[in-house]
Amino acid sequence: MPQHKISADSPIGIFDSGVGGLTVVKAVQACLPSERIIYFGDTARVPYGPKSQVTIRKYAREDTELLMKHQPKMIIVACNTVSALALDVVQQTSGDIPVIGVLKAGAELAARQSRSGRIGVIGTQATIHSNAYACAINELDPNLEVFSKACPLFVPLAEEGFIDHPATRLVAGEYLSELLTSKIDTLVLGCTHYPILRGMIESISGAGVNIIDSAEAVASKAKYLLASEGMLNPGTGQAMPHLMVSDLPQKFRELYRLFMGTEMPDVELVGM
Ligand code: DGL
């Protein structure tokens, strides 16, 4: 990958398998309002969660190549599935700019905040089967116990807008029961879509369980990293994110409202 000229004014590149990474865009905007953001949602190939490692790694490389055309100063991998299975591919493809993934940021926050040392993690099948969250948490502290559960139905429920719906309550109750029996005190939302269902997840897990939103965790990490490298954008205005999708921009528009709570700026359709 040829080196490119980056400055504090260069954008932060963020990508996800689809619309879910907007939870990360929102968190980054809240934490770093002056930064320019370029976002790619691979809506033609979503979901990544049920796919093989080989496919996920191929997609991760192509998504990174697309973002690199916009000369970002940092890449944030908003997709937990890519963070779990292909962060090294993103790093190799992006040369020497910093790459941070939601997974490590979420794992660090969970390890720091758990009091009982019993941490629950929920995510897609690929993320949970990779065991990457458990490995990242145990690398920080081998005494922490991690209880994981794949919750594949949460992604379509979030995309359907079933935020406070009885179907979601039923599914969430089923998915979370095992983790709650294991007496976790911390629960990592290890998938981009789950912050949308946070209220429901919180109401089922109860006040004794601290919810970790990897989106917020990765945004604070990005801020810390850019500040330590003197790469924070000195501007004061808030720019609209530059949005790109690989299919169905109209559907993306509808979901944008749900994820961001505001109207969507223009979206560019790109071929993959
Ligand atoms: N973005 C994915 C993640 O965070 C969820 C959707 C998908 O399966 O692609 O794991």
Side-chain angles (χ1 to χ4, degrees):
M1 171 67 49
Q3 299 302 307
H4 62 263
K5 222 176 152 38
I6 55 165
S7 68
D9 187 46
S10 303
I12 298 176
I14 303 179
F15 78 89
D16 178 44
S17 53
V19 72
L22 289 175
T23 53
V24 174
V25 173
K26 197 173 177 182
V28 172
Q29 279 182 325
C31 190
L32 292 163
S34 309
E35 296 296 335
R36 296 198 294 127
I37 293 173
I38 173 127
Y39 178 81
F40 173 58
D42 193 6
T43 48
R45 307 189 293 194
V46 69
Y48 287 8
K51 300 211 164 77
S52 70
Q53 181 166 7
V54 172
T55 302
I56 292 164
R57 289 174 73 81
K58 173 178 177 286
Y59 290 175
R61 181 172 44 73
E62 292 166 358
D63 298 347
T64 309
E65 281 166 358
L66 177 76
L67 280 184
M68 289 309 288
K69 291 184 189 150
H70 296 267
Q71 311 209 323
K73 61 181 173 185
M74 165 184 276
I75 288 190
I76 300 180
V77 181
C79 182
N80 284 265
T81 304
V82 172
S83 295
L85 293 149
L87 201 68
D88 58 321
V89 174
V90 180
Q91 187 74 76
Q92 280 155 21
T93 314
S94 57
D96 55 6
I97 61 167
V99 170
I100 51 179
V102 272
L103 190 145
K104 192 139 186 275
E108 282 166 1
L109 198 60
R112 236 188 354 261
Q113 293 194 352
S114 175
R115 293 286 156 261
S116 71
R118 299 172 76 80
I119 300 173
V121 177
I122 52 177
T124 64
Q125 286 116 317
T127 298
I128 297 304
H129 293 156
S130 75
N131 222 21
Y133 263 106
C135 290
I137 291 170
N138 284 139
E139 214 170 280
L140 296 162
D141 182 348
N143 295 318
L144 295 171
E145 277 190 88
V146 182
F147 303 87
S148 306
K149 178 80 184 164
C151 304
L153 291 175
F154 278 170
V155 169
L157 285 167
E159 293 211 352
E160 251 336 277
F162 279 18
I163 291 168
D164 196 20
H165 193 281
T168 309
R169 181 165 291 282
L170 198 70
V171 169
E174 174 70 29
Y175 280 153
L176 298 178
S177 67
E178 239 175 79
L179 296 178
L180 296 174
T181 316
S182 304
K183 301 259 176 289
I184 53 166
D185 76 338
T186 302
L187 178 63
V188 182
L189 305 182
C191 173
T192 47
H193 285 61
Y194 300 177
I196 294 288
L197 305 177
R198 181 178 180 147
M200 178 70 82
I201 293 168
E202 244 163 9
S203 79
I204 290 173
S205 48
V209 176
N210 177 28
I211 305 283
I212 304 286
D213 178 345
S214 320
E216 286 168 12
V218 84
S220 336
K221 201 168 168 184
K223 184 175 183 177
Y224 172 80
L225 214 68
L226 289 175
S228 64
E229 293 189 355
M231 288 296 273
L232 283 171
N233 193 320
T236 47
Q238 170 146 31
M240 291 299 252
H242 177 163
L243 304 171
M244 300 181 291
V245 293
S246 48
D247 201 6
L248 295 174
Q250 190 48 41
K251 177 153 186 245
F252 189 80
R253 185 177 295 277
E254 286 154 22
L255 289 170
Y256 188 92
R257 207 169 211 304
L258 178 69
F259 278 76
M260 302 293 274
T262 60
E263 286 305 325
M264 190 176 86
D266 289 342
V267 60
E268 184 187 342
L269 182 63
V270 293
M272 287 307 284

